[in-house]
Amino acid sequence: MPHFAEGIARFQREVFPAKAGLFARLASDHRPGTLFIGCSDARVVPELITQTDPGELFVIRTAGNLVPAHTPGGDGVTAAVEYAVTVLGVRDVVVCGHSACGAMTALAEGHDLSAAPAVAAWLRHADASLARAAAGGTGAGTVDVAALVRENVAAQLANLATHPSVARALAAGEVRLHGWVFDIADGTVEELPAAASPALAA
Ligand SMILES: [Zn+2]
């Protein structure tokens, strides 16, 4: 990983000094305004897309930008959502899907995931997304990947709203949910209309 050492050296030499005041403040202050939930895909970089500074986004990245619906017991995603909403008090939550998503493509095209059982199990959290995209398709047995990406953002927003921390903040009008789709090829970010998601319309 030789380029990492080079990158860190360049960060310390050129980037950090230019933001020294910001980092000095952030050293004892963590108050991000937005929870950004995106895909783990290496091409979807939240801070780059939104041109935000360190300290602005609390980020969760999962395969397929999936947020499992709330279940008792808790897990890493639930804990991060709860921490962002209840402890940090973020005012906005973004779920961002993207073009050419490997997870959504595997689902839409019915890829054989028997060699990746954990991936297959994780993607079951997109079952509702897949069902909705299939219902809206041609009925020919195939699902359009772009349509699934959009349905999946809406479904994950609905899943988010099942988390007590989010439900509480929504009821109190303390948080707003947003659904985005990032296009890797042209750099556009489409904000899905509120009507596309029950969670957004609520
Ligand atoms: Zn993806």
Side-chain angles (χ1 to χ4, degrees):
M1 303 189 292
H3 63 296
F4 283 174
E6 190 184 311
I8 291 168
R10 192 166 69 243
F11 168 74
Q12 293 172 341
R13 189 176 62 243
E14 300 172 12
V15 179
F16 187 87
K19 293 184 181 292
L22 172 63
F23 279 104
R25 179 172 64 76
L26 292 177
S28 59
D29 187 23
H30 184 211
R31 274 185 293 173
T34 300
L35 166 60
F36 187 104
I37 302 174
C39 185
S40 300
D41 192 299
R43 302 164 294 180
V44 183
V45 182
E47 293 83 356
L48 186 67
I49 295 170
T50 58
Q51 288 293 289
T52 41
D53 271 327
E56 292 188 58
L57 300 182
F58 191 85
V59 176
I60 301 171
R61 292 174 71 174
T62 66
N65 44 272
L66 300 179
V67 183
H70 176 73
T71 54
D75 57 65
V77 175
T78 297
V81 167
E82 184 180 83
Y83 185 73
V85 174
T86 302
V87 180
L88 297 176
V90 298
R91 305 292 302 188
D92 294 281
V93 181
V94 174
V95 173
C96 183
H98 68 99
S99 63
C101 181
M104 294 302 110
T105 302
L107 287 173
E109 298 179 354
H111 292 181
D112 176 12
L113 294 173
S114 56
V119 173
W122 173 251
L123 293 184
R124 295 297 305 272
H125 293 297
D127 277 355
S129 318
L130 188 59
R132 279 166 38 164
T138 60
T142 58
V143 172
D144 179 64
V145 175
L148 178 56
V149 166
R150 294 169 64 91
E151 290 289 359
N152 185 55
V153 168
Q156 302 317 310
L157 286 166
N159 281 354
L160 254 181
T162 69
H163 289 247
S165 58
V166 177
R168 196 160 41 238
L170 282 172
E174 293 171 353
V175 73
R176 292 181 301 269
L177 305 185
H178 311 272
W180 292 3
V181 176
F182 171 62
D183 190 296
I184 295 171
D186 64 19
T188 56
V189 176
E190 177 190 3
E191 176 143 18
L192 300 184
S197 163
L200 286 176

